[in-house]
Amino acid sequence: MYEAFYGLSSKPFQLSPDPNFYYGSKQHRRAKAYLDYGVLRNDGFIVITGEIGAGKTTLLRGLLDSLNRSNVIIGNVVTTQLDAEDTLRMVGAAFGVRVKDAPKSELLMTLEAFFVNQVTQGKRCLLIVDEAQNLTARAVEELRMLSNFQFSNQSLLQTFLVGQPEFRGILQKPEMEQFRQRVAATCHIGPLDEDETQRYMEHRLKCAGSTGKPTFDHDAFPAIHKASNGIPRRINRLCDRLLLLGFMQGRTHLTLADVKEVLRDIAQESESPRHGDASSLDSMPARLPDSRPGALDSVPGALDVTKLKMSVAEVEGLSSEIAALNADHHTDRLQRLERSMMRLERINLQTLALLQKLVDAVKQH
């Protein structure tokens, strides 16, 4: 919508993961090094964790795009609260193996035969499990058992587990000891710091074809970092709205005041609708219940709040606490929305992958 106004060739702050916009922060480079190492090793588990919107999916998609897909068979699984056997069926479905009504013993033999067949053709199988924090202990154990499949001392399956920070806690449980011994590498992607936030924004604008527009006041960057907590997807959402504001006002230079205006708009949009209007609220008496012993058992007493002795500093302190509570509520709502969007997005990606396999199968026949 605003790309032409800023002279951009594409939208710089889109919410969907795009490897073309990958920004290699120190933590992302470290995580990518672990992934590259895992691919070369072709054995065991690689565990990548990070906050919602930290860039885990973008990192993975970049890795998958770099692989030679002619000799790597990739299965993608987005986990929900499934039991162990259903998790195995999801693995089979991800690789296109028919395991719908088979008992567990036959299911395992079918999967092993499929993996062996791929290895004998000079191919390797890579399983990517997303939303790994939803795995039960039994499901993790089943994945560990799959990693025991070997052919001529060569592992038949390698697995990448990608999840939110709570998955790290799950792995530390005593019953996860055997699984931990099979983990080749683990890495956590944290938020960007203030300097990285600025470089991240500049990097995405450059990838979108920016030749110097838009520009930002220097003090706008710290405000964006603070509001987003350094989470890339939150930065994208805020900056997208910021560029839209500049476009609507016909300005290519954006200021701290613009950032605050966008934040106010977002906060107002997330507020729950109120019943009644302001005039009805204004007409209500400013009274609190009587706090004397026994008073709550009868009609509430009339305590005029105008007679409360509170200093200006105390009033400001209460206002700050109320604002903080509102901000926490807003953040919780955003996180719930982000989880829902991520699940829908991953389901769509998995569906597209299955459709592509069907198209390839039709072409071969």
Side-chain angles (χ1 to χ4, degrees), residues 120-138:
T120 57
Q121 296 180 46
K123 299 180 180 181
R124 51 183 295 194
C125 293
L126 172 62
L127 174 65
I128 297 175
V129 180
D130 214 342
E131 300 292 350
Q133 74 280 353
N134 292 327
L135 291 169
T136 63
R138 288 185 57 204

Side-chain angles (χ1 to χ4, degrees), residues 42-55:
N42 190 26
D43 185 25
F45 293 86
I46 303 293
V47 177
I48 303 293
T49 57
E51 299 288 347
I52 296 174

Side-chain angles (χ1 to χ4, degrees), residues 9 17 23 53 63 77 83 124 132 143 164 181 193 205 207 213 237 285-286 303-304 306 309 317 319 327 332 362-363:
S9 57
Y23 171 70
L63 171 71
V77 171
D83 63 27
R124 51 183 295 194
L143 293 177
Q164 295 173 26
Q181 293 178 6
D193 61 30
L205 286 168
C207 290
K213 293 186 297 186
R237 180 182 294 108
L303 177 62
D304 191 344
T306 61
K309 296 180 180 179
S319 298
D332 290 341
V362 171
K363 289 181 178 178

Side-chain angles (χ1 to χ4, degrees), residues 133-152:
Q133 74 280 353
N134 292 327
L135 291 169
T136 63
R138 288 185 57 204
V140 173
E141 178 62 16
E142 292 294 350
L143 293 177
R144 186 187 71 82
M145 294 302 293
L146 287 181
S147 71
N148 290 333
F149 289 159
Q150 290 192 337
F151 181 75
S152 300

Side-chain angles (χ1 to χ4, degrees), residues 53-206:
K56 304 184 296 296
T57 303
T58 301
L59 189 67
L60 266 178
R61 287 185 60 182
L63 171 71
L64 298 181
D65 288 347
S66 68
L67 295 177
N68 183 354
R69 302 297 286 268
S70 63
N71 59 13
V72 178
I73 307 300
I74 298 174
N76 287 282
V77 171
V78 181
T79 65
T80 55
Q81 295 291 346
L82 301 173
D83 63 27
E85 191 166 329
D86 283 337
T87 299
L88 290 178
R89 296 185 190 283
M90 290 285 286
V91 172
F95 286 108
V97 179
R98 298 185 63 179
V99 292
K100 184 177 180 181
D101 299 316
K104 183 178 178 181
S105 57
E106 184 178 336
L107 171 59
L108 290 172
M109 288 188 294
T110 302
L111 284 172
E112 184 175 17
F114 172 80
F115 296 145
V116 169
N117 182 52
Q118 300 306 312
V119 169
T120 57
Q121 296 180 46
K123 299 180 180 181
R124 51 183 295 194
C125 293
L126 172 62
L127 174 65
I128 297 175
V129 180
D130 214 342
E131 300 292 350
Q133 74 280 353
N134 292 327
L135 291 169
T136 63
R138 288 185 57 204
V140 173
E141 178 62 16
E142 292 294 350
L143 293 177
R144 186 187 71 82
M145 294 302 293
L146 287 181
S147 71
N148 290 333
F149 289 159
Q150 290 192 337
F151 181 75
S152 300
N153 296 322
Q154 179 181 350
S155 293
L156 296 179
L157 178 68
Q158 183 179 29
T159 304
F160 287 3
L161 295 172
V162 185
Q164 295 173 26
E166 51 264 38
F167 187 55
R168 302 172 72 189
I170 294 173
L171 294 183
Q172 295 307 311
K173 293 180 179 180
E175 60 267 29
M176 293 289 108
E177 174 61 29
Q178 283 187 300
F179 178 82
R180 288 197 298 271
Q181 293 178 6
R182 300 301 303 270
V183 175
T186 180
C187 184
H188 178 72
I189 303 176
L192 305 177
D193 61 30
E194 189 174 303
D195 289 337
E196 286 177 326
T197 296
Q198 178 175 346
R199 292 196 292 270
Y200 171 83
M201 292 169 56
E202 293 169 345
H203 169 79
R204 291 193 71 102
L205 286 168
K206 184 178 179 181

Side-chain angles (χ1 to χ4, degrees), residues 13 29 40 65 91 117 133 258 300 350-351 363-364:
F13 298 108
R29 290 197 303 271
L40 291 174
D65 288 347
V91 172
N117 182 52
Q133 74 280 353
D258 295 325
Q350 190 172 14
T351 302
K363 289 181 178 178
Q364 290 177 0

Side-chain angles (χ1 to χ4, degrees), residues 286-360:
R287 298 183 181 277
L288 295 173
D290 193 337
S291 60
R292 292 174 299 176
L296 293 177
D297 297 328
S298 60
V299 178
L303 177 62
D304 191 344
V305 296
T306 61
K307 295 181 180 180
L308 290 176
K309 296 180 180 179
M310 296 181 68
S311 65
V312 174
E314 289 173 328
V315 173
E316 291 179 348
L318 285 174
S319 298
S320 298
E321 290 182 15
I322 292 172
L325 288 173
N326 285 334
D328 289 342
H329 175 68
H330 174 55
T331 300
D332 290 341
R333 292 190 63 186
L334 285 178
Q335 289 178 346
R336 288 195 295 270
L337 288 171
E338 286 175 349
R339 291 190 185 99
S340 298
M341 290 175 64
M342 285 291 291
R343 290 191 185 97
L344 288 172
E345 180 183 322
R346 291 187 176 104
I347 290 171
N348 288 338
L349 289 174
Q350 190 172 14
T351 302
L352 289 173
L354 291 173
L355 289 173
Q356 184 61 53
K357 289 180 180 179
L358 290 173
V359 171
D360 291 342

